[in-house]
């Protein structure tokens, strides 16, 4: 899989147009190739030339899109600092299904990290739809659970019987982060320990009609949140051992600069696999603004809402 979220979610409008046009063109070509009634005679010379020209143009668009996607991203929105990286698998050549988006809303900074099932251009199309739906509704839907329902409904009409999108939505507020997890790897709270912020029960992915529940977790100014796709925890060494989320990872993720933290995490991952990644990986590291003094206490909870913290 590849990574389309940084492109669609954070600028580079020209490349976005190119990328979406590229996916639409390839999808159209795939549809034509699937036509059960092919011509009886081979295409004429001018048709072959036109095909070669289209192939060259699509290849150029793919290269430009990929270069835009692979740029590191960092910044600060709504008093939350963030840095993102996309680490491609060696065999990757086209855009695919890993995704993320960062959007400032009246309800705080909201982020989306997800992973479309599959490794093809259809996965890339669904990633673009997911991000577009998130961007369209994140700033106008007060409730994070309701926003998750909108995403699920938007994808339901686009997915086949076996399709789905794992995703986690996060909303940052003073002293806490609110999460809705739909079958995605649990984000890591980075502080004195590495703590997975997992739901009590695994949720269904988007597209499979999940019953989302919002959780609230403490997140102080000296703590960070790492959101990622499964390429991190499924990266294997030569003996088939998954990448461990251990003290070395915590040390990397607590480097003073967020960008440096992700670079060191990348170095640890490459040392573990001792070779190219087998799957693409999206990483998003967030931290409340260190200039703001935030209280360190378990978040208050509303009626019927769990905090995600254990006594």
């Amino acid at each position: 899989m590849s990574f389309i979220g940084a492109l669609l979610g954070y600028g580079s409008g020209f490349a976005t147009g190119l990328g979406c046009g590229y996916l639409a063109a390839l999808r159209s070509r795939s549809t034509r190739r699937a036509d059960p009634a092919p011509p009886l005679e081979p295409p004429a010379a001018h048709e072959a030339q036109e095909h070669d020209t289209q192939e060259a143009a699509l290849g150029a668009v793919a290269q430009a899109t990929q270069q835009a996607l692979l740029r590191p991203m960092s910044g600060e929105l709504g008093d939350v600092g963030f840095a993102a990286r996309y680490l491609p698998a060696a065999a990757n050549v086209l855009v695919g299904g890993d995704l993320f988006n960062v959007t400032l809303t009246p309800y705080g900074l909201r982020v989306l990290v997800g992973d479309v099932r599959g490794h093809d251009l259809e996965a890339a199309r669904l990633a673009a739809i997911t991000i577009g739906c998130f961007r369209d509704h994140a700033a106008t839907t007060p409730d994070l659970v309701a926003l998750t329902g909108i995403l699920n409904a938007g994808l339901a009409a686009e997915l086949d019987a076996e399709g789905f999108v794992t995703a986690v939505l996060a909303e940052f507020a003073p002293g806490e982060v609110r999460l809705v997890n739909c079958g995605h790897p649990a984000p890591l709270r980075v502080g004195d320990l590495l703590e997975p912020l997992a739901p009590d029960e695994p949720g269904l992915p988007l597209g499979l009609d999940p019953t989302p529940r919002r959780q609230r977790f403490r997140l102080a100014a000296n703590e960070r949140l790492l959101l990622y796709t499964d390429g991190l925890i499924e990266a294997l060494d030569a003996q088939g051992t998954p990448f461990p989320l251990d003290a070395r990872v915590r040390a990397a993720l607590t480097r003073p600069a967020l960008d440096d933290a992700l670079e060191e995490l990348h170095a640890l991952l490459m040392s573990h696999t001792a070779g190219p990644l087998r799957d693409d990986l999206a990483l998003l590291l967030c931290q409340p603004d260190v200039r703001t003094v935030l209280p360190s206490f378990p978040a208050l909870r509303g009626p019927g809402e769990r905090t995600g913290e254990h006594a």
Side-chain angles (χ1 to χ4, degrees), residues 8 46 59 84 97 106 122 138-139 207 218 222 234 259 274-275 289 308:
L8 295 180
H46 72 277
E122 177 65 6
R218 171 184 51 79
N222 63 340
E234 294 181 0
D259 284 302
D289 189 352

Side-chain angles (χ1 to χ4, degrees), residues 188-194 222-224 226 250 253-254:
L188 290 177
R189 180 169 56 193
V190 184
D192 293 334
L193 302 170
L194 283 182
N222 63 340
E223 295 177 319
R224 294 172 173 176
L226 178 70
R250 179 195 168 275
L253 292 175
T254 52

Side-chain angles (χ1 to χ4, degrees), residues 162-183:
E162 298 181 352
F164 58 81
V165 180
T166 70
V168 60
L169 288 80
E171 176 183 276
F172 292 86
E176 70 175 28
V177 62
R178 303 153 187 168
L179 300 176
V180 173
N181 194 320
C182 297

Side-chain angles (χ1 to χ4, degrees), residues 49-236:
Q49 183 177 1
E50 180 182 358
H51 176 269
D52 292 341
T53 302
Q54 289 177 346
E55 288 288 340
L58 289 172
V61 170
Q63 183 177 10
T65 302
Q66 191 69 8
Q67 289 174 351
L69 293 175
L70 297 179
R71 290 177 182 172
M73 183 180 97
S74 61
E76 183 177 327
L77 290 173
D79 293 329
V80 178
F82 61 90
R85 293 290 184 277
Y86 166 64
L87 309 178
N92 176 64
V93 284
L94 299 175
V95 293
D98 283 22
L99 62 98
F100 85 83
N101 191 260
V102 179
T103 301
L104 185 60
T105 78
Y107 320 107
L109 181 69
R110 285 178 168 175
V111 304
L112 166 70
V113 173
D115 189 351
V116 180
R117 180 182 184 273
H119 299 76
D120 53 14
L121 289 168
E122 177 65 6
R125 185 184 73 89
L126 293 171
I129 290 172
T130 305
I131 292 168
C133 188
F134 177 77
R135 288 181 61 82
D136 286 345
H137 298 281
T140 57
T141 308
D143 184 68
L144 203 61
V145 170
L147 177 58
T148 306
I150 291 172
L151 293 178
N152 179 73
L155 282 167
E158 300 288 341
L159 293 165
D160 59 28
E162 298 181 352
F164 58 81
V165 180
T166 70
V168 60
L169 288 80
E171 176 183 276
F172 292 86
E176 70 175 28
V177 62
R178 303 153 187 168
L179 300 176
V180 173
N181 194 320
C182 297
H184 199 77
L188 290 177
R189 180 169 56 193
V190 184
D192 293 334
L193 302 170
L194 283 182
E195 302 173 87
L197 304 186
D200 286 339
E201 298 180 2
L204 292 174
L206 297 173
L208 299 182
D209 295 327
T211 304
R213 296 183 61 187
R214 189 181 76 160
Q215 297 174 273
R216 302 169 69 179
F217 295 93
R218 171 184 51 79
L219 190 68
N222 63 340
E223 295 177 319
R224 294 172 173 176
L225 187 73
L226 178 70
L227 302 102
Y228 55 92
T229 52
D230 58 10
L232 180 65
I233 54 178
E234 294 181 0
L236 306 178

Side-chain angles (χ1 to χ4, degrees), residues 290-308:
V290 295
R291 294 170 296 177
T292 304
V293 179
L294 297 177
S296 179
F297 56 87
L300 300 177
R301 58 182 174 180
E305 182 179 38
R306 56 185 296 274
T307 66

